[in-house]
Amino acid sequence: MTERQRSALAYVGLGSNLEAPRDQLERALSALALLPLSECVARSSLYASAPVGPRDQPDFINAVAAIRTRLSPLALLDQLQALEQHHRRVRNRHWGPRTLDLDLLWYDGLARRSPRLTLPHPEMSRRRFVLEPLAEIAPTLTLGGELPLTLAGSLKDQALTRLVE
Ligand code: ROI
């Protein structure tokens, strides 16, 4: 495991639309808090969202978590993928329903493109289900010079509801 000297701040997007999605997300948020060399420093509320992409699937529950970590980006990605497997992730088709999806959205402002990992996540600025939860915990973060809520403002056609806990 590549360990860094200095800790980095990372944002992780969570999504589920199968097998009790709210429970999936709560379990995943608890598991994120236990990642090695890492600390979960903030989490958003849960949000219900209409599927982006193929519409013939259940609505999603989404959230975003902030992780302070000394794992490298790829080591953190490995941990997230292991967690997805642990939750017996079901994913039968591209952009189809899934029990748990964990996306590494942003890592210390790093911009990189590689076959396994592109940062920031290339779709995040176009997804209201990422931007509004992110705005809750990182209102001043800028993506291409824009605040998450500004970007979300032009995506009101993507239905999203914050769930009151
Ligand atoms: N749509 C919503 N609303 N939430 C998601 O987490 C999500 N994840 C995906 C696709 C299928 C693109 N659509 C989604 O991977």
Side-chain angles (χ1 to χ4, degrees):
M1 199 179 292
T2 325
E3 182 177 336
R4 297 158 45 109
Q5 294 298 314
R6 189 176 68 77
S7 73
L9 185 63
Y11 293 99
V12 174
L14 300 90
S16 169
N17 70 345
L18 286 179
E19 297 173 27
R22 280 177 87 139
D23 296 346
Q24 297 284 351
L25 256 62
E26 290 297 352
R27 283 169 52 211
L29 285 162
S30 304
L32 283 178
L34 300 174
L35 288 184
L37 300 172
S38 306
E39 190 187 351
C40 181
V41 290
R43 56 158 287 187
S44 72
S45 313
L46 302 183
Y47 289 75
S49 63
V52 169
R55 313 291 305 219
D56 60 335
Q57 55 179 322
D59 283 357
F60 279 80
I61 302 293
N62 287 105
V64 171
I67 312 285
R68 185 154 284 288
T69 185
R70 286 169 57 217
L71 297 172
S72 68
L74 285 178
L76 179 57
L77 184 66
D78 286 340
Q79 292 287 332
L80 298 178
Q81 291 182 342
L83 260 182
E84 286 180 340
Q85 293 307 321
H86 185 70
H87 283 243
R88 281 193 268 280
R89 172 183 170 143
V90 181
R91 183 186 164 182
N92 300 319
R93 64 173 159 118
H94 186 60
W95 282 25
R98 64 273 319 277
T99 47
L100 181 64
D101 201 13
L102 297 174
D103 286 330
L104 181 51
L105 299 170
W106 189 96
Y107 182 102
D108 239 24
L110 206 65
R112 62 172 275 166
R113 189 185 294 258
S114 75
R116 255 199 94 193
L117 179 64
T118 296
L119 289 169
H121 190 290
E123 297 292 331
M124 69 183 289
S125 297
R126 291 187 283 274
R127 292 179 170 178
R128 190 176 170 206
F129 68 80
V130 170
L131 294 167
E132 289 199 18
L134 183 65
E136 242 191 86
I137 60 172
T140 61
L141 186 79
T142 52
L143 301 165
E146 302 284 357
L147 298 172
L149 266 192
T150 310
L151 292 165
S154 58
L155 301 171
K156 296 292 184 198
D157 52 320
Q158 296 178 19
L160 182 82
T161 314
R162 188 165 80 90
L163 299 174
V164 181
E165 285 162 40

Short mmCIF file of all heavy atoms in Angstrom, two decimals, residues 14-17 48-54 57-62 89 91 94-98 101 103 127 129-130 158-160, ligand 1:
data_model
loop_
_atom_site.label_atom_id
_atom_site.label_comp_id
_atom_site.label_asym_id
_atom_site.label_seq_id
_atom_site.Cartn_x
_atom_site.Cartn_y
_atom_site.Cartn_z
N LEU A 14 -21.32 8.15 -3.19
CA LEU A 14 -21.93 6.85 -2.90
C LEU A 14 -23.28 6.78 -3.61
O LEU A 14 -24.03 7.77 -3.61
CB LEU A 14 -22.16 6.65 -1.41
CG LEU A 14 -20.96 6.69 -0.47
CD1 LEU A 14 -20.69 8.10 0.02
CD2 LEU A 14 -21.19 5.79 0.73
N GLY A 15 -23.60 5.64 -4.17
CA GLY A 15 -24.89 5.45 -4.81
C GLY A 15 -25.35 4.01 -4.73
O GLY A 15 -24.53 3.09 -4.74
N SER A 16 -26.67 3.83 -4.63
CA SER A 16 -27.24 2.47 -4.62
C SER A 16 -28.68 2.55 -5.09
O SER A 16 -29.39 3.50 -4.76
CB SER A 16 -27.20 1.90 -3.20
OG SER A 16 -27.96 0.69 -3.13
N ASN A 17 -29.12 1.55 -5.85
CA ASN A 17 -30.55 1.48 -6.18
C ASN A 17 -31.09 0.05 -6.15
O ASN A 17 -32.08 -0.25 -6.79
CB ASN A 17 -30.87 2.17 -7.52
CG ASN A 17 -30.34 1.44 -8.74
OD1 ASN A 17 -29.50 0.56 -8.61
ND2 ASN A 17 -30.84 1.81 -9.91
N ALA A 48 -32.53 11.17 -2.52
CA ALA A 48 -33.17 10.27 -3.48
C ALA A 48 -33.08 10.95 -4.84
O ALA A 48 -33.31 12.15 -4.95
CB ALA A 48 -34.62 10.05 -3.10
N SER A 49 -32.69 10.18 -5.87
CA SER A 49 -32.52 10.79 -7.19
C SER A 49 -33.04 9.87 -8.28
O SER A 49 -32.92 8.65 -8.20
CB SER A 49 -31.04 11.10 -7.43
OG SER A 49 -30.28 9.90 -7.43
N ALA A 50 -33.62 10.50 -9.29
CA ALA A 50 -34.05 9.74 -10.47
C ALA A 50 -32.80 9.28 -11.21
O ALA A 50 -31.78 9.97 -11.21
CB ALA A 50 -34.90 10.63 -11.36
N PRO A 51 -32.86 8.09 -11.83
CA PRO A 51 -31.67 7.59 -12.52
C PRO A 51 -31.24 8.51 -13.66
O PRO A 51 -32.06 8.94 -14.45
CB PRO A 51 -32.08 6.22 -13.05
CG PRO A 51 -33.56 6.16 -12.97
CD PRO A 51 -33.98 7.14 -11.92
N VAL A 52 -29.94 8.80 -13.69
CA VAL A 52 -29.35 9.49 -14.82
C VAL A 52 -28.84 8.39 -15.74
O VAL A 52 -28.24 7.42 -15.26
CB VAL A 52 -28.19 10.40 -14.34
CG1 VAL A 52 -27.38 10.93 -15.51
CG2 VAL A 52 -28.73 11.53 -13.49
N GLY A 53 -29.06 8.50 -17.02
CA GLY A 53 -28.74 7.40 -17.94
C GLY A 53 -30.00 6.59 -18.17
O GLY A 53 -31.10 7.16 -18.20
N PRO A 54 -29.90 5.27 -18.29
CA PRO A 54 -31.10 4.45 -18.54
C PRO A 54 -32.16 4.68 -17.46
O PRO A 54 -31.86 4.63 -16.26
CB PRO A 54 -30.55 3.02 -18.48
CG PRO A 54 -29.10 3.14 -18.79
CD PRO A 54 -28.66 4.48 -18.27
N GLN A 57 -34.88 1.77 -14.42
CA GLN A 57 -34.29 1.17 -13.23
C GLN A 57 -34.78 1.97 -12.03
O GLN A 57 -35.25 3.10 -12.19
CB GLN A 57 -32.77 1.15 -13.32
CG GLN A 57 -32.11 2.50 -13.56
CD GLN A 57 -30.58 2.40 -13.61
OE1 GLN A 57 -29.98 1.64 -12.86
NE2 GLN A 57 -29.96 3.17 -14.51
N PRO A 58 -34.69 1.40 -10.81
CA PRO A 58 -35.22 2.11 -9.64
C PRO A 58 -34.47 3.42 -9.39
O PRO A 58 -33.33 3.59 -9.84
CB PRO A 58 -34.95 1.12 -8.48
CG PRO A 58 -34.65 -0.20 -9.11
CD PRO A 58 -34.14 0.08 -10.49
N ASP A 59 -35.12 4.32 -8.64
CA ASP A 59 -34.44 5.55 -8.20
C ASP A 59 -33.23 5.18 -7.33
O ASP A 59 -33.19 4.10 -6.73
CB ASP A 59 -35.41 6.41 -7.38
CG ASP A 59 -36.40 7.15 -8.29
OD1 ASP A 59 -36.27 7.03 -9.52
OD2 ASP A 59 -37.27 7.84 -7.75
N PHE A 60 -32.30 6.09 -7.26
CA PHE A 60 -31.08 5.89 -6.47
C PHE A 60 -31.16 6.62 -5.13
O PHE A 60 -31.91 7.59 -4.99
CB PHE A 60 -29.87 6.47 -7.21
CG PHE A 60 -29.31 5.57 -8.29
CD1 PHE A 60 -29.92 5.52 -9.55
CD2 PHE A 60 -28.19 4.80 -8.07
CE1 PHE A 60 -29.41 4.71 -10.55
CE2 PHE A 60 -27.67 3.99 -9.06
CZ PHE A 60 -28.27 3.94 -10.30
N ILE A 61 -30.39 6.14 -4.17
CA ILE A 61 -30.03 6.93 -3.00
C ILE A 61 -28.56 7.31 -3.19
O ILE A 61 -27.74 6.45 -3.55
CB ILE A 61 -30.21 6.13 -1.68
CG1 ILE A 61 -31.66 5.64 -1.53
CG2 ILE A 61 -29.81 6.97 -0.49
CD1 ILE A 61 -32.69 6.72 -1.34
N ASN A 62 -28.26 8.59 -2.96
CA ASN A 62 -26.89 9.08 -3.14
C ASN A 62 -26.42 9.89 -1.93
O ASN A 62 -27.24 10.42 -1.18
CB ASN A 62 -26.81 9.98 -4.38
CG ASN A 62 -26.90 9.21 -5.68
OD1 ASN A 62 -27.91 9.21 -6.37
ND2 ASN A 62 -25.84 8.51 -6.01
N ARG A 89 -21.45 -6.18 -4.71
CA ARG A 89 -21.95 -5.30 -5.75
C ARG A 89 -22.49 -6.09 -6.94
O ARG A 89 -21.83 -6.97 -7.46
CB ARG A 89 -20.80 -4.41 -6.22
CG ARG A 89 -21.15 -3.59 -7.42
CD ARG A 89 -19.94 -2.80 -7.85
NE ARG A 89 -20.22 -2.20 -9.13
CZ ARG A 89 -19.80 -1.00 -9.47
NH1 ARG A 89 -19.09 -0.29 -8.64
NH2 ARG A 89 -20.07 -0.53 -10.64
N ARG A 91 -23.71 -5.61 -10.68
CA ARG A 91 -23.74 -4.65 -11.77
C ARG A 91 -23.70 -5.43 -13.06
O ARG A 91 -22.67 -5.92 -13.48
CB ARG A 91 -22.54 -3.72 -11.67
CG ARG A 91 -22.56 -2.66 -12.74
CD ARG A 91 -21.30 -1.85 -12.70
NE ARG A 91 -21.18 -1.12 -13.94
CZ ARG A 91 -20.15 -0.35 -14.22
NH1 ARG A 91 -19.17 -0.21 -13.36
NH2 ARG A 91 -20.08 0.26 -15.36
N HIS A 94 -23.68 -1.85 -18.14
CA HIS A 94 -23.10 -0.52 -18.02
C HIS A 94 -24.21 0.48 -17.72
O HIS A 94 -25.24 0.49 -18.39
CB HIS A 94 -22.38 -0.18 -19.33
CG HIS A 94 -21.63 1.11 -19.26
ND1 HIS A 94 -20.60 1.31 -18.34
CD2 HIS A 94 -21.74 2.24 -19.97
CE1 HIS A 94 -20.13 2.52 -18.51
NE2 HIS A 94 -20.79 3.12 -19.49
N TRP A 95 -24.01 1.31 -16.70
CA TRP A 95 -24.98 2.32 -16.29
C TRP A 95 -26.31 1.70 -15.88
O TRP A 95 -27.36 2.32 -15.97
CB TRP A 95 -25.18 3.39 -17.38
CG TRP A 95 -24.05 4.39 -17.40
CD1 TRP A 95 -22.78 4.19 -16.97
CD2 TRP A 95 -24.10 5.76 -17.86
NE1 TRP A 95 -22.04 5.33 -17.14
CE2 TRP A 95 -22.82 6.30 -17.69
CE3 TRP A 95 -25.11 6.55 -18.40
CZ2 TRP A 95 -22.52 7.62 -18.03
CZ3 TRP A 95 -24.81 7.86 -18.75
CH2 TRP A 95 -23.52 8.38 -18.57
N GLY A 96 -26.28 0.43 -15.46
CA GLY A 96 -27.49 -0.22 -14.98
C GLY A 96 -27.55 -0.17 -13.45
O GLY A 96 -26.70 0.45 -12.82
N PRO A 97 -28.56 -0.86 -12.83
CA PRO A 97 -28.71 -0.81 -11.38
C PRO A 97 -27.55 -1.47 -10.64
O PRO A 97 -26.90 -2.35 -11.18
CB PRO A 97 -30.02 -1.56 -11.12
CG PRO A 97 -30.34 -2.29 -12.37
CD PRO A 97 -29.58 -1.66 -13.49
N ARG A 98 -27.29 -1.03 -9.42
CA ARG A 98 -26.19 -1.58 -8.64
C ARG A 98 -26.48 -1.49 -7.14
O ARG A 98 -27.20 -0.59 -6.70
CB ARG A 98 -24.87 -0.89 -8.97
CG ARG A 98 -24.74 0.58 -8.66
CD ARG A 98 -25.24 1.54 -9.72
NE ARG A 98 -24.93 1.20 -11.09
CZ ARG A 98 -23.77 1.48 -11.69
NH1 ARG A 98 -22.81 2.06 -11.02
NH2 ARG A 98 -23.60 1.18 -12.94
N ASP A 101 -22.21 1.67 -5.36
CA ASP A 101 -21.24 2.29 -6.25
C ASP A 101 -20.48 3.32 -5.42
O ASP A 101 -21.10 4.17 -4.76
CB ASP A 101 -22.05 3.01 -7.35
CG ASP A 101 -21.24 3.27 -8.59
OD1 ASP A 101 -20.15 2.72 -8.72
OD2 ASP A 101 -21.73 4.04 -9.43
N ASP A 103 -17.56 6.14 -5.94
CA ASP A 103 -16.74 6.83 -6.93
C ASP A 103 -15.76 7.77 -6.24
O ASP A 103 -16.19 8.60 -5.41
CB ASP A 103 -17.63 7.69 -7.86
CG ASP A 103 -18.41 6.85 -8.85
OD1 ASP A 103 -17.91 5.77 -9.23
OD2 ASP A 103 -19.50 7.28 -9.24
N ARG A 127 -23.60 16.01 -12.78
CA ARG A 127 -24.52 15.18 -12.02
C ARG A 127 -25.01 15.90 -10.77
O ARG A 127 -24.27 16.12 -9.83
CB ARG A 127 -23.83 13.86 -11.62
CG ARG A 127 -23.56 13.00 -12.85
CD ARG A 127 -22.86 11.73 -12.50
NE ARG A 127 -22.83 10.84 -13.67
CZ ARG A 127 -22.25 9.65 -13.67
NH1 ARG A 127 -21.63 9.22 -12.59
NH2 ARG A 127 -22.29 8.90 -14.76
N PHE A 129 -26.89 14.73 -8.56
CA PHE A 129 -26.87 13.82 -7.40
C PHE A 129 -25.49 13.78 -6.75
O PHE A 129 -25.34 13.26 -5.64
CB PHE A 129 -27.38 12.42 -7.77
CG PHE A 129 -26.50 11.62 -8.71
CD1 PHE A 129 -25.38 10.96 -8.25
CD2 PHE A 129 -26.82 11.53 -10.06
CE1 PHE A 129 -24.58 10.20 -9.12
CE2 PHE A 129 -26.04 10.79 -10.94
CZ PHE A 129 -24.90 10.12 -10.46
N VAL A 130 -24.46 14.30 -7.40
CA VAL A 130 -23.14 14.47 -6.79
C VAL A 130 -22.98 15.89 -6.26
O VAL A 130 -22.50 16.11 -5.13
CB VAL A 130 -22.01 14.19 -7.82
CG1 VAL A 130 -20.65 14.60 -7.28
CG2 VAL A 130 -21.99 12.72 -8.23
N GLN A 158 -32.72 17.14 -13.51
CA GLN A 158 -32.39 15.86 -12.85
C GLN A 158 -33.04 15.86 -11.47
O GLN A 158 -32.58 16.55 -10.56
CB GLN A 158 -30.87 15.70 -12.71
CG GLN A 158 -30.12 15.62 -14.03
CD GLN A 158 -28.61 15.51 -13.83
OE1 GLN A 158 -28.11 15.16 -12.77
NE2 GLN A 158 -27.87 15.82 -14.89
N ALA A 159 -34.12 15.08 -11.30
CA ALA A 159 -34.88 15.11 -10.05
C ALA A 159 -34.03 14.62 -8.87
O ALA A 159 -33.35 13.60 -8.96
CB ALA A 159 -36.13 14.25 -10.19
N LEU A 160 -34.10 15.40 -7.76
CA LEU A 160 -33.28 15.09 -6.57
C LEU A 160 -34.00 15.61 -5.34
O LEU A 160 -34.50 16.73 -5.34
CB LEU A 160 -31.92 15.78 -6.71
CG LEU A 160 -30.91 15.53 -5.59
CD1 LEU A 160 -30.19 14.20 -5.83
CD2 LEU A 160 -29.88 16.64 -5.53
N1 ROI B 1 -28.17 8.01 -11.44
C1 ROI B 1 -28.38 8.46 -10.20
N2 ROI B 1 -29.44 9.22 -9.95
N3 ROI B 1 -27.54 8.14 -9.17
C2 ROI B 1 -26.45 7.36 -9.37
O1 ROI B 1 -25.70 7.09 -8.41
C3 ROI B 1 -26.21 6.88 -10.67
N4 ROI B 1 -25.13 6.11 -10.94
C4 ROI B 1 -24.88 5.70 -12.16
C5 ROI B 1 -25.77 5.99 -13.32
C6 ROI B 1 -26.31 4.69 -13.87
C7 ROI B 1 -24.97 6.75 -14.37
N5 ROI B 1 -26.91 6.81 -12.96
C8 ROI B 1 -27.10 7.23 -11.70
O2 ROI B 1 -23.78 4.98 -12.38
#
